[in-house]
Amino acid sequence: MKQELIAVTGAGGFIGGALIAEFRRQGCTRIRAIDIKPPDEWYLRFDDVENLSLDLNLKENCDRAAAGAGQIYNLAANMGGMGFIESNKALCMLSVLINTHMLQAAKQQGVRRFFYASSACVYNGDKQRDPNNPGLKEEDAYPALAEDGYGWEKLFSERMCRHFTEDYGMYTRVARFHNVYGPNGTWDGGREKAPAAVCRKVIEAKLGGKHEISIWGTGNQTRSFMYIDDCTKGVQLIMDSDILEPINLGSSEMVTINQLVDIVEDIAGIQLKRTYDLGAPKGVAGRNSDNTLIKKYLNWEPGLPLRTGMERTYAWIYDQYVAREKGLAAAGVH
Ligand code: NAD
């Protein structure tokens, strides 16, 4: 297995980079990393990996990415946090090209196993109106009322995996990630998600001396956040499992955004005056991961406490922030 060629798409992004780091750590020697961004813009880049800069919207590039691979982890997507997906619905939906062409290429190249990264954004919006969300069960994706744009595309691509399995016998596995956070991810520029955005804002306030923070929405909306190491572990467990249906991969430690800010303030040793931007994109009122199914199948669930993961994330973003202020590029090459 360790000799088999593993292809990871979206490798220049947050989760793809972390997954490759984990495969290398486990002794995998044949890894192909693919991203549309040039390698010098990847969060993590490894010189002993085959690094390809390809636009996977194009079928011929997907053929190149899949050629000779035994396993594909398809993580490439044009995405970001709520600020990005609410105002870029067409771009999010165009990721259907990546997912269609990667599946076709994997089938044609006889790839042994295919993993697809879906999202909690597939869940029915009506089941996320209450901040006291008891946890979304896998069946709550239907009847379908997914997050407009991004969520519908994920739901469609999930189903395409299902039908490639049913009709062509392809081995596909699908996980619905719930908010993933950690070092080596987007923390600025408009695509960042809440944990990174809150860290950056707190750092800005601390170093800039203006002790204020603007929070999107009322701050009472709830979410759960999964640390990146739990995500990469879960991806591998799900890929190796006999779980045929899309399954939640997320933490069940639900917090309000205000509680997330409390945690980061505590880590930073500062208290900020909060203002609430009620017009900003804020997503659903309440979202949590019901982990009944993953515990049943894998006897495991993502478990790193939010506080621990946020300490590591804060420290990494702090270093990036300070390096940027000094005009230094943050290092990601290994
Ligand atoms: P990311 O944005 O950091 O990484 C995605 C990568 O895909 C980027 O580096 C981007 O350049 C690349 N990409 C985009 N279009 C491409 C194209 N046409 N060809 C090749 N590469 C292309 O995102 P991430 O957080 O690492 O997410 C990875 C996957 O997990 C995505 O499919 C995302 O939808 C899914 N997901 C992530 C989260 C999360 O909280 N991070 C939650 C749910 C689902």
Side-chain angles (χ1 to χ4, degrees), residues 10-16 34-37 43 54-57 74-79 98 117-120 150 154 177-181 186 193:
F14 169 43
I15 302 171
I34 312 109
D35 203 286
I36 193 169
K37 293 186 292 198
Y43 289 113
L54 295 173
D55 179 356
L56 297 174
N57 285 312
N74 185 25
L75 304 177
N78 209 337
M79 60 90 64
I98 303 173
S118 185
S119 163
Y150 177 72
K154 288 286 183 194
F177 297 170
H178 290 244
N179 285 298
V180 190
Y181 74 100
T186 309
K193 299 187 162 201

Side-chain angles (χ1 to χ4, degrees), residues 6 51 83 119 132 143 174 189 204 208 297 313 331-332:
I6 298 172
N51 295 315
S119 163
N132 296 314
V174 177
E204 238 160 32
Y297 277 113
T313 308

Side-chain angles (χ1 to χ4, degrees), residues 22-205:
E22 183 55 25
F23 285 139
R24 288 176 72 258
R25 201 189 61 74
Q26 292 169 8
C28 300
T29 52
R30 299 185 60 215
I31 302 172
R32 178 178 294 151
I34 312 109
D35 203 286
I36 193 169
K37 293 186 292 198
D40 61 356
E41 290 176 22
W42 297 11
Y43 289 113
L44 290 173
R45 192 178 84 233
F46 302 97
D47 290 336
D48 55 358
V49 163
E50 183 188 1
N51 295 315
L52 300 178
S53 179
L54 295 173
D55 179 356
L56 297 174
N57 285 312
L58 304 176
K59 172 67 165 49
E60 62 266 31
N61 287 342
C62 292
D63 289 335
R64 169 74 182 91
Q71 305 188 42
I72 291 178
Y73 293 80
N74 185 25
L75 304 177
N78 209 337
M79 60 90 64
M82 285 314 300
F84 179 79
I85 65 177
E86 280 197 6
S87 49
N88 291 279
K89 291 176 187 154
L91 270 185
C92 289
M93 292 210 84
L94 282 172
S95 292
V96 75
L97 294 172
I98 303 173
N99 297 323
T100 307
H101 291 147
M102 279 309 303
L103 264 172
Q104 282 183 310
K107 174 176 170 278
Q108 284 161 5
Q109 308 275 341
V111 171
R112 200 169 63 79
R113 308 200 301 181
F114 187 93
F115 177 89
Y116 174 58
S118 185
S119 163
C121 286
V122 300
Y123 283 114
N124 186 314
D126 283 344
K127 303 205 166 152
Q128 303 172 80
R129 294 190 186 284
D130 182 0
N132 296 314
N133 194 317
L136 292 157
K137 292 184 188 300
E138 284 73 2
E139 67 212 36
D140 291 334
Y142 295 97
L145 185 56
E147 174 76 36
D148 202 6
Y150 177 72
W152 278 103
E153 192 283 322
K154 288 286 183 194
L155 197 62
F156 176 87
S157 293
E158 277 190 358
R159 289 199 78 86
M160 203 159 41
C161 289
R162 174 196 179 122
H163 296 307
F164 269 63
T165 299
E166 287 172 356
D167 295 358
Y168 308 129
M170 248 180 86
Y171 184 111
T172 65
R173 295 292 182 266
V174 177
R176 290 178 182 153
F177 297 170
H178 290 244
N179 285 298
V180 190
Y181 74 100
N184 297 305
T186 309
W187 58 278
D188 203 2
R191 289 185 188 241
E192 64 279 13
K193 299 187 162 201
V198 170
C199 286
R200 189 201 66 235
K201 288 178 183 182
V202 170
I203 293 163
E204 238 160 32

Side-chain angles (χ1 to χ4, degrees), residues 3 20 51 53 69 82 97 117 127 138 158-159 167 205 213 222 245 263 267 280 288 290 299 312 319 330-331:
Q3 305 308 314
I20 290 174
N51 295 315
S53 179
M82 285 314 300
L97 294 172
K127 303 205 166 152
E138 284 73 2
E158 277 190 358
R159 289 199 78 86
D167 295 358
I213 185 166
T222 53
E245 295 289 325
I263 290 174
I267 293 167
N288 192 11
D290 180 299
N299 200 19
R312 298 176 195 170
D319 288 348

